[in-house]
Amino acid sequence: MPVIVVMEDDADIRTLMVHLLTHEGYEVLAAGNGSEGLQLVESHHPDLIISDVQMPGMTGFQVLDSVRQSPALAATPVILLTALQDRVHVRHGMTAGADDYITKPFEPSELTLAVDAQLTRSAGQSARQDEAVTTAVKVALERLYEKRLVQELGDGWPAAEGSASDETFAHATVLFVDMANYSALTEQLSGAELSELVKTFYGSAGDTVHLFGARHMQFVGEGLLAVFVESNDTQSVNHGLRASRAALGLIDSAQRMRHYLQSRFADRQLPQFQVSVALHSGPVVLARMEDPLNGAPTQILPVGDAVSATLLLQKQAQMLGWAIVASKTMLASVQDMVKTGRHAAVSLPGRLLPVEAAELLKIGV
């Protein structure tokens, strides 16, 4: 029986959650503040933690930080619960390592679906429960992320007219996601329908990547490239783990897109919508490209061996049939915090040496 620790200072809400989760068949341990809750976590090593953010004494963010800093607890899924609906707090929680975020007031089904989603991912259970993952993530994203990527970029990221110098990162993780059968879809969808597909998928994908703390992202062809680095607001979770969480979120987004297309175009035999994601770590430079006519900064271009290798690795992931391929270099940064599947020495076009890589399956072991 899965064990869940609930931390909530509001007695009525705490009682409600205990009742709901016990009725669903979980063993629930409850605490009225973060300090007591953390003691329960350390002594029982639960399968899932649900913590309110605003609690007297130890906040939910502090609980989350303590959990992620503990080698024995770091892989435990954490759902944050709060009345705060501001995106700054959402991003804070997600970049600090939260796995999901629920705002109060919430429907009982939202709580149970979110719990089922995290425990399903952790345990790798049946296809029926995989559908619960899709539903839970959809509910959370639609509830929390009401504005799309364009506004988020404008509100949350540094303006292009900032420093004119390049940014160099000795350690970074590059993520690249691309649609596996886009060419086949172009043969059966109109330009307007393709535009709808791309905007729908990459709108959700962009939210996911940004909320897990990407420093930069941009489109490359029909794909999306993101760079994760260490920064002041993401110190408790390294760039490799945040990129891994984002990659898993992108696979969830693709699953939702697959169901959407099946419903939207039920009268057509469309090829199955699939994406593949590559992760690789190494030095990255965010180069500011200037207009040769007037010298004004025009765009940021990620450059470096890690970038080019990630783009090539993603193409090989499609050939291998892996949803997420992670290089050995990237996996070294997350150590025992992720579970991998098949391993292979992947040959990359134009390169002499293959890249040791593995199929990334989930967070935790």
Side-chain angles (χ1 to χ4, degrees):
M1 177 185 296
V3 177
I4 301 174
V5 169
V6 171
M7 308 178 205
E8 169 60 65
D9 61 318
D10 187 308
D12 292 336
I13 296 177
R14 185 171 66 249
T15 300
L16 172 64
M17 288 195 293
V18 171
H19 173 76
L20 287 172
L21 296 175
T22 301
H23 180 72
E24 292 293 318
Y26 303 115
E27 180 181 349
V28 184
L29 306 174
N33 59 65
S35 298
E36 293 177 1
L38 188 58
Q39 291 178 6
L40 289 175
V41 170
E42 291 172 341
S43 59
H44 293 274
H45 287 218
D47 300 284
L48 176 67
I49 300 168
I50 303 175
S51 176
D52 187 21
V53 168
Q54 290 185 313
M55 294 183 291
M58 193 175 200
T59 69
F61 292 139
Q62 291 171 320
V63 169
L64 177 61
D65 184 64
S66 296
V67 169
R68 295 296 180 238
Q69 293 293 339
S70 169
L73 301 171
T76 307
V78 177
I79 297 175
L80 291 180
L81 179 69
T82 183
L84 297 172
Q85 298 190 39
D86 185 81
R87 278 179 177 254
V88 173
H89 293 91
V90 175
R91 179 175 169 83
H92 184 174
M94 298 301 272
T95 56
D99 296 274
D100 205 346
Y101 209 99
I102 302 176
T103 55
K104 297 182 286 189
F106 57 86
E107 295 294 330
S109 60
E110 289 183 72
L111 176 65
T112 55
L113 283 171
V115 168
D116 194 26
Q118 294 306 320
L119 293 177
T120 296
R121 175 175 288 172
S122 179
Q125 296 172 355
S126 66
R128 180 189 64 80
Q129 291 173 310
D130 287 338
E131 181 66 21
V133 175
T134 299
T135 305
V137 175
K138 179 179 179 181
V139 169
L141 286 174
E142 289 179 348
R143 185 178 179 88
L144 295 173
Y145 314 145
E146 71 285 347
K147 295 181 181 178
R148 307 312 303 166
L149 175 61
V150 173
Q151 182 171 348
E152 188 62 38
L153 287 171
D155 293 342
W157 284 6
E161 60 269 17
S163 171
S165 61
D166 296 345
E167 293 182 276
T168 301
F169 302 97
H171 305 284
T173 295
V174 181
L175 176 154
F176 183 61
V177 56
D178 201 357
M179 291 177 276
N181 49 10
Y182 182 76
S183 295
L185 288 168
T186 62
E187 295 179 342
Q188 299 190 43
L189 296 176
S190 68
E193 290 168 340
L194 284 170
S195 176
E196 177 188 349
L197 181 156
V198 171
K199 289 179 179 179
T200 301
F201 174 68
Y202 282 119
S204 174
D207 277 340
T208 299
V209 169
H210 177 59
L211 286 169
F212 280 109
R215 175 64 183 84
H216 174 78
M217 67 177 171
Q218 68 181 64
F219 292 106
V220 178
E222 293 88 31
L224 180 68
L225 183 142
V227 179
F228 293 79
V229 302
E230 300 301 336
S231 60
N232 292 334
D233 67 341
T234 58
Q235 290 179 343
S236 62
V237 179
N238 69 44
H239 52 81
L241 186 57
R242 285 185 285 110
S244 298
R245 293 182 187 277
L248 290 166
L250 292 173
I251 299 303
D252 287 339
S253 294
Q255 188 177 26
R256 293 196 306 277
M257 192 68 205
R258 187 156 53 247
H259 292 310
Y260 168 77
L261 289 176
Q262 290 171 353
S263 174
R264 173 74 169 79
F265 303 105
D267 58 335
R268 305 188 203 178
Q269 296 296 319
L270 294 180
Q272 189 176 58
F273 182 84
Q274 293 180 324
V275 301
S276 55
V277 186
L279 299 167
H280 184 51
S281 295
V284 173
V285 176
L286 297 181
R288 291 185 178 272
M289 308 298 291
E290 295 186 349
D291 185 335
L293 294 179
N294 55 35
T298 58
Q299 66 175 339
I300 297 175
L301 179 66
V303 296
D305 181 69
V307 177
S308 59
T310 305
L311 295 174
L312 294 172
L313 192 59
Q314 186 273 334
K315 298 300 182 185
Q316 300 307 305
Q318 294 184 21
M319 298 178 62
L320 290 168
W322 298 359
I324 304 174
V325 58
S327 71
K328 183 178 179 180
T329 305
M330 196 289 295
L331 292 172
S333 70
V334 296
Q335 299 179 352
D336 297 328
M337 292 183 285
V338 300
K339 180 177 178 59
T340 58
R342 294 165 288 182
H343 290 243
V346 182
S347 297
L348 302 182
R351 291 179 173 245
L352 296 177
L353 298 177
V355 172
E356 295 293 331
E359 181 184 21
L360 179 65
L361 299 178
K362 67 176 185 176
I363 302 297
V365 295

